[in-house]
Amino acid sequence: MKDCIFCKIIAGEIPSRKIYEDELVYAFMDIGPINFGHTLVIPKEHHASSSTIPETTAGRMFRVGARIGVAQKRALDADAFNLHLADGACAGQVVMHAHLHVVPRSADDSFHWNWRQLKYETPAAADEAAEKLRAALKLHPDR
Ligand code: AMP
Ligand code: ZN
C-alpha cells in the first residue's frame, strides 16, 4: 500500500534489520525498542487491523513471533518475552499496518506494563458483557 511505512520496508524502499522472512510474514528489529532485540512481525499483505488478516497468515505471525521470542532467550540472554499487538489508535497502534511486537524480557529490565484489574460491579454485569460478546461473534463468524 502506497504511503505505508511497513509496506515500504517489505518492498525494500526503507531500510530495516531483517530477522526473518517467508512468503507470508516479514520480521525486523523495532527502531525504538522496549528492550534490545525487540522485533516486529508483520504480514506481507497490507492490513491495518489484525481482524482482517487471513487465518494462515495470522497463525504464521504468532508462530514466528514465538520462535523469535525463543531466539531472544537463546541469543540475547532474555529470560522471557512478551507478544503484544495494538489494534486501533486508542489501543496504542501508531503504525496502521498490523504488527506483532516480540519484546525480550529479563527480571531486572525495569519495564512494567501499566496493567490493572477492575472488578465487575455484579456477576450479572459480567454475564451481560459475556452474552453480548457471544452474540457479536455469532453474528460475524468470519471476524
Ligand atoms: P505501535 O505503537 O504498536 O503501532 O508500534 C509501532 C512500532 O513501530 C514502534 O515500536 C516503533 O518503534 C516501530 N517503528 C516505527 N517505524 C519503524 C521503522 N522504520 N523501523 C522499525 N521500527 C519502526
Ligand atoms: Zn502496509
Side-chain angles (χ1 to χ4, degrees), residues 7-102:
C7 282
K8 286 184 179 164
I9 282 178
I10 293 164
E13 291 162 19
I14 291 178
S16 69
R17 290 193 176 81
K18 181 167 88 174
I19 301 295
Y20 174 85
E21 178 178 14
D22 63 29
E23 79 283 15
L24 296 177
V25 305
Y26 186 92
F28 58 105
M29 301 280 274
D30 193 299
I31 207 168
I34 289 177
N35 283 323
F36 299 129
H38 179 166
T39 298
L40 302 174
V41 185
I42 62 176
K44 282 192 164 173
E45 202 173 80
H46 179 88
H47 291 272
S49 169
S50 60
S51 65
T52 60
I53 302 172
E55 190 165 338
T56 311
T57 306
R60 184 72 59 83
M61 284 172 69
F62 188 88
R63 183 74 196 122
V64 166
R67 284 186 60 208
I68 290 171
V70 171
Q72 289 169 342
K73 288 169 66 175
R74 287 189 176 130
L76 302 181
D77 251 1
D79 300 315
F81 59 93
N82 283 113
L83 296 179
H84 171 80
L85 189 149
D87 196 310
C90 87
Q93 184 177 6
V94 173
V95 177
M96 290 298 155
H97 180 130
H99 48 280
L100 183 64
H101 293 262
V102 190

